[in-house]
Amino acid sequence: GFIGSALCRRLKAQGARVTCVDNLSYAACPQSVDALFNTNACTLVREDIRNVDAIKTIIVENKPDIIFHLAAESHVDRSIDDPKGFLSTNTQGTVAVLTGAQDYWKTLSDDSKSKFRFVHVSTDEVYGSLHEGEADENHAYRPNSPYSASKAASDHFVRAWNVTYGLPTLMTHCSNNYGPYQYPEKLIPKTILRALDGKEIPVYGDGLNMREWIHVDDHVDALLVIAAKAQPGSRYNIGGGADGRITNIDLVKKICAALDHLHPKGAPHNRLITFVADRPGHDLRYALDSRKIADDLGWSPKNNISTRISDIVQWYIDHRQLWDNESAYR
């Protein structure tokens, strides 16, 4: 996946031995991992996380010090059409991975047990839509889509495994990610790629839904800090901060402005913006309070989406061919 492959690239660069378990579903970008898994230090295992026996075997054979659990179905639109698939992968799949991790953890020496970590990557969407203020780690869960409901359920199972079985889990809630290799069903790459093709850029409703954006590299930084320093049972929000908050329509307009400069052939690109019927249950506003990770672990984001838009647009222009055969943005 998008965030998981970015994490794998960073771990490889740091000299870690990485085993990536991925079923390489529709949203996988093989080009993003081809160069990653060409050494003995990094292994790609094609498997579905819902296969409990296979997951147990993979964990035992690879003897991990840390398990980062990022595997999930993540697109809200698809969850509306296929809620059962999201329940199966995001909730039942998480239980399968927890089961495999728990069985393995119990076999470790006391020293290895104390060092082992299970890092579960969740989303700010479990907090639901905020009309004002920010959601901290103690905010009530109010998921409004089948996707966020499935992630909320998985969070509860992770907490239960920590409290009931003592598994040293860590939980994170991140805001919207952006960066290279993101599958083009997501807003930023979809906007860029459709604009490059001269096609209408669909914007839900009035476009005033607000999201908080974080660069995937900042997210990876946070995950590594949490894995290394956080106490088992902890939860941390990972957000882009107030500077990362922007309405969908303003973000699309910024992308169009960057395209006008970098790809003037299609200018003005904002002529392609088309407002379409809003999707069911569309959350109006997300905003994370990420002070806890800053205070406890010293992490804060380095990137600001407003200053990185041109870089991201240029990357998708340069790598447009990766999605020549994809229908996700067409």
Side-chain angles (χ1 to χ4, degrees):
F2 167 50
I3 302 169
S5 60
L7 174 62
C8 287
R9 286 192 293 273
R10 180 72 63 79
L11 289 168
K12 179 184 178 183
Q14 293 183 352
R17 182 177 63 84
V18 181
T19 300
C20 176
V21 182
D22 198 321
N23 69 348
L24 298 181
S25 66
Y26 78 92
C29 179
Q31 298 91 334
S32 72
V33 296
D34 282 348
L36 179 61
F37 299 106
N38 61 2
T39 68
N40 292 333
C42 294
T43 305
L44 176 63
V45 179
R46 185 167 186 173
E47 187 54 75
D48 194 304
I49 60 168
R50 294 170 292 186
N51 187 338
V52 180
D53 292 337
I55 293 299
K56 287 182 177 181
T57 298
I58 292 167
I59 293 174
V60 169
E61 288 180 347
N62 287 276
K63 299 179 175 58
D65 301 308
I66 304 171
I67 293 177
F68 291 95
H69 176 41
L70 300 98
E73 297 287 350
S74 66
H75 194 45
V76 174
D77 288 11
R78 289 180 182 268
S79 79
I80 294 170
D81 296 331
D82 179 28
K84 290 183 179 179
F86 280 67
L87 169 67
S88 177
T89 295
N90 296 355
T91 306
Q92 294 172 338
T94 295
V95 171
V97 179
L98 284 166
T99 301
Q102 172 71 11
D103 287 354
Y104 166 71
W105 180 72
K106 290 189 297 185
T107 68
L108 299 177
S109 66
D110 289 344
D111 183 57
S112 295
K113 275 186 178 180
S114 68
K115 296 176 181 176
F116 180 85
R117 296 291 183 269
F118 183 100
V119 183
H120 173 66
V121 179
S122 189
T123 171
D124 59 352
E125 296 192 35
V126 299
Y127 300 131
S129 185
L130 277 68
H131 293 290
E132 60 183 6
E134 299 175 331
D136 65 13
E137 288 81 357
N138 295 315
H139 195 276
Y141 275 39
R142 295 191 180 94
N144 291 318
S145 70
Y147 162 65
S148 56
S150 69
K151 290 296 290 185
S154 72
D155 293 354
H156 293 316
F157 277 105
V158 171
R159 183 180 185 277
W161 248 254
N162 173 254
V163 174
T164 302
Y165 304 111
L167 186 69
T169 63
L170 298 164
M171 193 182 308
T172 68
H173 300 280
C174 70
S175 58
N176 282 35
N177 280 234
Y178 68 96
Y181 294 110
Q182 190 170 31
Y183 190 68
E185 67 185 0
K186 304 293 188 176
L187 177 62
I188 292 177
K190 184 173 185 175
T191 297
I192 298 169
L193 294 169
R194 286 188 66 88
L196 290 174
D197 281 352
K199 297 183 176 180
E200 291 183 345
I201 302 169
V203 175
Y204 282 131
D206 57 12
L208 296 181
N209 303 76
M210 178 175 286
R211 297 296 180 261
E212 182 174 324
W213 294 88
I214 183 172
H215 194 283
V216 68
D217 288 343
D218 283 331
H219 188 186
V220 168
D221 287 341
L223 292 177
L224 294 177
V225 169
I226 289 168
K229 296 182 178 181
Q231 292 299 309
S234 299
R235 293 172 55 197
Y236 287 99
N237 288 341
I238 305 172
D243 289 341
R245 295 171 199 160
I246 187 171
T247 63
N248 289 345
I249 186 60
D250 284 345
L251 177 57
V252 169
K253 287 179 178 178
K254 283 182 178 291
I255 293 171
C256 288
L259 281 163
D260 289 348
H261 175 67
L262 298 170
H263 190 261
K265 180 180 178 181
H269 291 85
N270 61 9
R271 63 184 168 80
L272 300 171
I273 296 174
T274 304
F275 294 96
V276 299
D278 209 353
R279 75 183 178 205
H282 196 182
D283 288 340
L284 178 63
R285 177 179 177 271
Y286 299 146
L288 281 178
D289 180 343
S290 299
R291 286 177 294 179
K292 181 181 176 182
I293 188 173
D295 294 343
D296 289 1
L297 307 179
W299 175 90
S300 60
K302 300 174 183 175
N303 296 284
N304 180 310
I305 189 165
S306 293
T307 60
R308 292 300 307 272
I309 284 294
S310 290
D311 296 340
I312 296 303
V313 169
Q314 186 63 61
W315 189 91
Y316 279 94
I317 291 173
D318 294 342
H319 297 82
R320 184 177 176 182
Q321 73 284 357
L322 293 181
W323 289 279
D324 280 346
N325 298 318
E326 293 291 348
S327 61
Y329 71 93
R330 301 184 186 282

